[in-house]
Amino acid sequence: MNTEPKRKFGVVVVGVGRAGSVRIRDLKDPHSSAFLNLIGFVSRRELGSLDNVRQISLEDALRSQEVDVAYICTESSSHEDYIRQFLQAGKHVLVEYPMALSFAAAQELWELAAQKARCWVENLLAQRSRGSTQLSFLLS
């Protein structure tokens, strides 16, 4: 049986704090990201590159045909805005908990995802193992 994916999904990590750095590490591991291809990261700080991964602007990530998925790893108060921007740009979204600060906002984002025929997954686990990024995407 061929386990090679037919297509790899291009991923950008938004935020490079503790959670974002772990996601980048996991996505760089070829054994845990068989279906995902790390394109780069987005940060408010000018870093250039981080652990041999290039920084790209938010605008470039939103416009890029290469980016299929955004993994939001920023502070909770900015999750809604990033989710909305990436969904409106036609991207799938993975987000660290919580995805929104209110039920109304969560419901609005859920409806936007359905309207755009895109999925998003909220990470409910505080600690994640290598490969779980891939698993979360596949289960969505």
Side-chain angles (χ1 to χ4, degrees):
M1 183 171 131
N2 185 3
T3 58
E4 284 298 311
K6 292 180 181 177
R7 176 183 184 286
K8 282 192 163 200
F9 294 91
V11 180
V12 64
V13 175
V14 181
V16 291
R18 222 177 268 153
S21 296
V22 169
R23 300 307 156 243
I24 288 170
R25 179 203 67 199
D26 289 351
L27 287 164
K28 286 181 65 178
D29 181 351
H31 300 292
S32 68
S33 59
F35 295 92
L36 303 172
N37 179 36
L38 181 59
I39 303 300
F41 70 90
V42 173
S43 177
R44 292 183 302 256
R45 296 176 285 161
E46 287 295 325
L47 301 172
S49 68
L50 184 67
D51 202 20
N52 294 319
V53 177
R54 69 183 173 104
Q55 182 172 5
I56 61 176
S57 71
L58 175 60
E59 295 76 21
D60 287 345
L62 292 167
R63 284 192 308 257
S64 176
Q65 296 296 319
E66 203 179 6
V67 174
D68 302 297
V69 181
Y71 204 139
I72 313 298
C73 301
T74 59
E75 63 279 348
S76 301
S77 61
S78 67
H79 287 181
E80 292 173 37
D81 184 48
Y82 281 121
I83 293 170
R84 188 173 290 103
Q85 288 183 69
F86 279 99
L87 287 175
Q88 288 173 339
K91 312 297 185 189
H92 298 284
V93 176
L94 301 170
V95 63
E96 293 295 324
Y97 176 85
M99 67 119 137
L101 298 179
S102 71
F103 178 75
Q107 197 167 28
E108 177 191 338
L109 293 171
W110 183 265
E111 290 168 7
L112 179 60
Q115 179 185 62
K116 295 288 187 175
R118 295 293 174 240
C119 67
W120 56 265
V121 176
E122 178 180 37
N123 174 13
L124 299 175
L125 305 174
Q127 296 292 321
R128 301 193 55 183
S129 63
R130 290 179 181 246
S132 62
T133 301
Q134 169 184 322
L135 180 62
S136 293
F137 183 78
L138 294 174
L139 293 176
S140 68

